[in-house]
């Protein structure tokens, strides 16, 4: 079985979100199951220093009226598509002032270059495209590149449906596709071209990154206008929960921590807490519950809920450490809270992997009150680090955290705290419940231990993907 991933991001070369982690780890996990995998990704500026060898594949592509000659590099199983005018830029998709204006052309070129490259090196059994940037791949496999990929099946994974790759209709000639595909059953979406819709309607199977999110996106509330399309494709829509990379995120081996620890030998966690408090300028108070939060500061992540309740919560004996960046409105509001309560909250507006690890290890609770969450990684890391997650029960959060309730506590299956309503009251109540539980040492230890025992390694997810690929190549798409 040969599977080619077409992805706009891949760890360790480029990353803006969880998609990059998936496309770094899943191919490797599949390789462990004897699947031959490769990944095709853009040669952004941040990939240029990677040791790689040149790949000979003479390719010329017309993007609208412009003839482009991409070149290729290879680092292990990863192929980079180089085309400096498009990819040798500071950001992946834009600058802090907005998206690059030529993103349609950039990702048309990327998809077509991937199709050309794979035809040269080896036509795969499965083309597995990720997110809108690769959304045209399933369409190309059925149209412009049909003869080369006649036997190839296509899978399209949605990591976040809110990012759709919408472009004005006059970008249609850039795609090289006939105008007949600008149709409400295909690429057209309210008068625009939708790259994500291309992937949804033309792929043999659609996957999203948790079973709950797969159900949610078929509803008007979470479907981002595409719920009707997704309901039509329900028979080939699968939810497969992401795994996490325990080689990087494991408190027993984490080299980024001042001290390692495990459920059996937990002492190191206290050292991590002290180090985190020190680094963030908070009082070193071992008994004060410390709440961590990491993520993009965008509407999705429930920052408005946090802002609605934080000042009230800070009246209690609690500390917060927050790491993230994003919407200037949220950044300013959070920094304002820090100015008023520097003794209780530390707000770190930056991207800092080392601090992310220290927060996971040094916090007692991890807050993730997302409005929606396709999968989410931080709550899964938190479980492994004995940092009890407090989550809104949506998408992957609902699929990975078992909320504490009388029955789950009695059975010992609870791993965190969860609330359903997207409301400040629900968040405040749940936080108070969690903070109260923190002081019941015996029950808290049990909660931590149950979380640390959870196994969300990639192997499990990779087996589900493999089953899907096998079903497709055998002629059915049932995973
Ligand atoms: P999303 O993909 O929606 O951004 P996820 O929870 O799935 O959210 O994945 C986010 C990943 O990015 C995690 O690995 C998280 O640790 C990391 N991350 C997010 N923001 C920051 C930040 N400011 N500094 C360091 N790591 C971050």
């Amino acid at each position: 079985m040969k599977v080619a991933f077409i992805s706009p991001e891949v760890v360790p070369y480029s990353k803006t979100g969880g998609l990059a982690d998936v496309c770094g780890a899943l191919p490797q996990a599949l390789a462990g199951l004897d699947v031959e995998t490769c990944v095709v990704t853009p040669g952004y500026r941040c990939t240029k220093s990677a040791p790689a060898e040149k790949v000979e594949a003479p390719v010329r592509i017309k993007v609208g009226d412009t003839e482009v000659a991409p070149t290729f590099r290879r680092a292990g199983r990863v192929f980079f598509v180089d085309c400096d005018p498009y990819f040798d830029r500071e950001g992946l998709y834009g600058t802090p002032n907005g998206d690059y204006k030529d993103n349609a052309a950039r990702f048309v070129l990327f998809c077509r270059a991937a199709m050309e490259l794979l035809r040269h090196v080896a036509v795969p059994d499965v083309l597995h495209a990720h997110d809108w940037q690769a959304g045209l791949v399933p369409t190309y496999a059925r149209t412009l590149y049909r003869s080369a990929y006649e036997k190839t099946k296509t899978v399209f994974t949605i990591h976040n449906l809110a990012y759709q790759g919408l472009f004005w209709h006059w970008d249609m000639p850039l795609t090289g596709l006939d105008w007949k595909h600008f149709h409400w059953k295909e690429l057209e979406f309210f008068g625009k071209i939708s790259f994500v819709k291309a992937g949804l309607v033309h792929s043999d199977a659609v996957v999203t990154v948790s079973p709950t999110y797969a159900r949610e996106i078929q509803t008007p509330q979470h479907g981002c206008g595409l719920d009707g399309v997704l309901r039509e494709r329900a028979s080939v829509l699968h939810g497969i929960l992401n795994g996490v990379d325990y080689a990087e995120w494991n408190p027993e081996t984490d080299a980024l921590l001042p001290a390692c620890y495990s459920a059996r030998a937990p002492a190191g966690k206290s050292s991590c807490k002290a180090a985190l408090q020190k680094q963030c300028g908070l009082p070193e108070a071992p008994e004060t519950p410390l709440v961590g939060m990491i993520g993009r500061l965008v509407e999705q992540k429930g920052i408005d809920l946090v802002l609605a309740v934080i000042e009230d919560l800070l009246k209690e004996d609690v500390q917060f450490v927050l790491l993230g960046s994003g919407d200037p409105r949220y950044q300013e509001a959070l920094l304002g809270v820090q100015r008023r309560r520097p003794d209780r909250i530390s707000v770190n507006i930056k991207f800092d992997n080392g601090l992310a690890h220290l927060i996971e290890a040094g916090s007692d609770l991890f807050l993730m009150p997302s409005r929606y969450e396709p999968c989410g990684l931080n709550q899964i890391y938190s479980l492994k680090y004995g940092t009890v997650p407090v989550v809104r029960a949506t998408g992957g959060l609902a699929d990975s955290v078992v909320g504490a309730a009388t029955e789950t506590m009695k059975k010992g299956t609870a791993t965190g705290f969860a609330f359903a309503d997207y409301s400040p009251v629900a968040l405040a109540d749940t936080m108070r419940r969690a903070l109260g539980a923190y002081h019941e040492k015996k029950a808290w230890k049990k909660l931590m231990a149950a979380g640390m025992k959870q196994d969300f390694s990639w192997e499990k997810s990779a087996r589900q993907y493999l089953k899907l690929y096998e079903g497709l190549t055998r002629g059915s798409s049932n995973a």
Side-chain angles (χ1 to χ4, degrees), residues 148-474:
Y149 293 94
E150 207 150 29
K151 296 206 181 88
T152 299
K153 298 293 178 184
T154 56
V155 176
F156 182 57
T157 292
I158 315 162
H159 296 263
N160 190 336
L161 189 60
Y163 300 91
Q164 302 195 343
L166 290 178
F167 302 100
W168 77 325
H169 66 287
W170 283 118
D171 278 340
M172 198 61 200
L174 295 179
T175 65
L177 295 165
D178 193 286
W179 272 101
K180 74 177 184 204
H181 298 290
F182 188 70
H183 183 278
W184 70 279
K185 283 276 189 189
E186 296 186 63
L187 274 61
E188 191 270 347
F189 184 72
F190 294 101
K192 293 188 169 178
I193 308 169
S194 165
F195 282 18
V196 90
K197 191 172 168 191
L200 294 179
V201 299
H202 287 143
S203 52
D204 294 306
V206 178
V207 178
T208 189
V209 290
S210 69
T212 298
Y213 191 61
R215 284 192 299 277
E216 288 173 338
I217 56 178
Q218 296 179 55
T219 66
Q221 195 193 349
H222 291 289
C224 305
L226 288 163
D227 46 295
V229 176
L230 286 155
R231 283 196 299 276
E232 250 180 58
R233 303 240 63 205
S235 63
V236 296
L237 173 61
H238 308 273
I240 301 179
L241 195 71
N242 284 339
V244 297
D245 185 358
Y246 288 128
E248 198 198 337
W249 294 94
N250 181 350
E252 294 188 36
T253 52
D254 193 332
L256 297 172
L257 300 181
C260 287
Y261 61 92
S262 66
R264 269 168 289 106
K269 188 163 174 71
S270 313
S271 314
C272 293
K273 181 170 178 178
L276 177 61
Q277 287 168 323
K278 189 161 177 205
Q279 183 169 333
C280 293
L282 294 169
E284 282 176 51
E287 289 305 318
T288 300
L290 175 48
V291 184
M293 207 174 157
I294 305 166
R296 294 174 297 119
L297 301 178
V298 293
E299 205 187 81
Q300 176 197 339
K301 301 289 178 182
I303 312 298
D304 52 338
L305 286 193
V306 175
L307 285 167
V309 303
I310 188 94
E311 307 248 2
D312 242 16
L313 285 175
L314 290 180
K315 289 179 189 148
E316 311 211 0
D317 182 31
V318 62
Q319 295 178 338
F320 273 79
V321 173
L322 193 140
L323 169 64
S325 62
D327 190 330
R329 260 181 327 143
Y330 292 141
Q331 296 185 174
E332 263 321 298
L334 288 162
L335 287 169
V337 181
Q338 178 183 244
R339 276 193 295 275
R340 289 188 287 282
R341 293 308 306 261
D343 57 324
R344 291 227 177 273
I345 181 166
S346 160
V347 175
N348 304 273
I349 305 292
K350 57 181 172 178
F351 194 96
D352 182 340
N353 189 43
L355 181 55
H357 281 251
L358 188 58
I359 291 175
E360 285 294 359
S363 305
D364 300 298
L365 299 103
F366 191 88
L367 178 58
M368 217 158 155
S370 304
R371 187 181 287 271
Y372 70 92
E373 194 61 70
C375 175
L377 296 172
N378 281 304
Q379 83 283 10
I380 303 180
Y381 303 152
S382 300
L383 291 169
K384 189 51 87 197
Y385 282 72
T387 302
V388 175
V390 178
V391 302
R392 175 156 177 269
T394 181
L397 298 172
D399 293 335
S400 55
V401 176
V402 179
T406 319
E407 192 163 332
T408 53
M409 285 303 278
K410 211 173 354 163
K411 277 201 226 146
T413 53
T415 56
F417 293 84
F419 61 99
D421 260 10
Y422 189 81
S423 73
V425 176
L427 169 59
D429 283 354
T430 310
M431 275 304 294
R432 288 215 167 80
R433 204 152 59 85
L435 292 173
Y438 173 76
H439 295 289
E440 290 167 34
K441 287 294 167 213
K442 215 169 129 202
W444 191 260
K445 263 204 187 127
K446 225 167 117 184
L447 208 52
M448 282 173 67
M452 292 175 92
K453 255 195 349 228
Q454 300 297 310
D455 179 12
F456 290 97
S457 58
W458 268 108
E459 203 194 312
K460 217 157 73 190
S461 318
R463 282 190 193 286
Q464 286 175 272
Y465 273 103
L466 177 56
K467 203 167 152 202
L468 171 66
Y469 300 149
E470 284 174 345
L472 285 174
T473 48
R474 258 193 263 113

